[in-house]
Amino acid sequence: MKRSIRRQLLLWLLIPLLSLSAFSSIGAFYIGENLARSIYDRELVNSADSVLARIKIKDAHISVDMPVAALSILRHNNRDEFYFQILSESGQFIAGHDFLPLPKIEQLTITPQFRFFKLKERQLRAVAFFVPISEANASVENVIIQVAETRNTRKELTNQIAVTVLLSQFILIACALIAVWVGVRRGLSPLTRVESAVNLRSPGDLSPLEVDEPSEIKSLVDALNNLLHQLSEDVELQKRFIANAAHQLRTPIAGLGTYSALARKLAKDEELKEVLSELDLGIARMGKVVGRLLMLARSEPGASSTRQMSVVDLNSVVSEVTAASVPEAIKQKVDLEFHSTSEPALIYGDPGGIEELASNLIENSILYTQNGGTIKIEVAIRNGTTILTVEDDGPGIPKEERERIFERFYRLPGTEKPGTGLGLAIVKEIVSSHKAKIDVSPAAGGNGSAFKVSFDTYKSKN
Ligand code: ADP
């Protein structure tokens, strides 16, 4: 799983929050228990006093007048049991409930002593203390009073306090998590903006990113911009090198061609003539590759200085290219059909580039279509788009190859016709420099292929 800043932040917040809430819950439980204990212990001492008020001494005999109604008042509620007993100083049972375990008499004083104990599986809280008897005729000087009650109500109060604290903590944690989630989302939004700024640009665009970024990601954007700057310098250098090399090679190749043609003319030997005509072919091919490389370098983004943008009528450029291709079409025995629009098909572009584009597409169609084939060249305007279609009934291009044919030096496997693999790469560059679109699909007839280039139709400002 990929590391996510949002998940990390939430995790780092959740761990201390949960530990803090665990500690404070334990604390809240103890505070609740202590609170419940001090409240109910005071009540227990009050109950002991109420029992004491009901002590009767008659003929030196001590008894407690405790009717059922009075006992039920001392129980406070019907969820708990209440017990009492009066003992002599030495722990002899005098009155009350005799089944209560005796308190530790040696530790008793007149100050209430509290303790917990278990009676028949029930947990009880008890208080016991010495009470001096003031009556002169009493059989003892001091008695011990012990009262005890079950702890159901105490536990309920403790639980209520703990649940209230836990619930409020749970709400607090949930709110903190939502706040962090939203905060992190908002905090990370500049990164999303940088991401879409990068995604939106065309592959050839190496200009610096301009995003209104906060200081935290400024260094990242700066580093990216530095890299883009370096990359664009390298690409520029490489392009210039290829353009210069191709330019420098053109003249010697042309010279070589002239000399080889001359040598062929002067040669007497038939075998030598054959070798020289092979050499001629090689030189012509080399000249074509160099010419294409030069054209590619000129069509690439950044070479806009060589591009002359103007309003162009696609009909006239394409009809000129078609007319110039007729001799080649006759040689290859294919028919050329040209359909133009009745109105001028105006686009804003570089006439030289558009001519190159049309000529590459038409040249390919003538080259790859078998004898007797037909090539349909059409200029049309549909929904504000000016479209050039070059459709042939040649071998067609398999679906999986329709993207790859635009790569540099890529030729379909098994292509035997001479070529450089650069023609469609040049077409692609020209298309993207005109912000146009190119699609390859099977020809309407079934066999063959249709190259469709869509330009924005030029709209005059007045
Ligand atoms: P080249 O034609 O010099 O080989 P391109 O870049 O113009 O280079 O074309 C790349 C490849 O695409 C060609 O080698 C060919 O296999 C294929 N191709 C191009 N146009 C057509 C077409 N009209 N019909 C069939 N295949 C084509």
Side-chain angles (χ1 to χ4, degrees), residues 292 360-361 364-365 367-369 392 394-397 405 407 410-413 415 417-425 449 451:
R292 288 267 153 116
N360 276 344
L361 293 179
N364 273 353
S365 290
L367 187 65
Y368 297 112
T369 301
D392 61 48
I397 296 163
I405 50 169
E407 287 174 15
Y410 186 76
R411 310 196 72 212
L412 288 187
T415 306
K417 301 281 169 72
T420 59
L422 286 172
L424 289 179
S449 46
F451 287 78

Side-chain angles (χ1 to χ4, degrees), residues 289-322:
V289 174
V290 167
R292 288 267 153 116
L293 274 176
L294 197 58
M295 178 50 71
L296 189 60
R298 284 183 185 153
S299 320
E300 277 171 333
S304 50
S305 49
T306 59
R307 221 172 281 139
Q308 308 279 315
M309 301 298 270
S310 61
V311 180
V312 183
D313 181 2
L314 199 59
N315 283 327
S316 60
V317 178
V318 176
S319 78
E320 272 169 31
V321 176
T322 310

Side-chain angles (χ1 to χ4, degrees), residues 329-349:
I330 294 171
K331 207 167 126 196
Q332 298 287 333
K333 298 194 179 66
V334 290
D335 281 341
L336 285 187
E337 277 178 25
F338 175 57
H339 305 268
S340 60
T341 53
S342 46
E343 300 283 300
L346 299 183
I347 59 168
Y348 189 69

Side-chain angles (χ1 to χ4, degrees), residues 109-143:
T109 62
I110 54 165
T111 317
Q113 308 275 309
F114 295 93
R115 73 192 164 107
F116 290 110
F117 64 85
K118 252 185 167 184
L119 186 73
K120 290 185 197 155
E121 295 307 309
R122 285 179 305 167
Q123 293 184 321
L124 280 92
R125 176 75 165 163
V127 65
F129 52 93
F130 276 121
V131 183
I133 299 293
S134 49
E135 310 268 336
N137 62 345
S139 54
V140 289
E141 279 182 13
N142 286 321
V143 288

Side-chain angles (χ1 to χ4, degrees), residues 9-11 13-14 17 172-183:
L9 274 175
L10 283 180
L11 203 70
L13 189 85
L14 204 62
L17 263 183
L172 191 82
I173 291 179
C175 289
L177 288 185
I178 293 171
V180 169
W181 186 263
V182 174

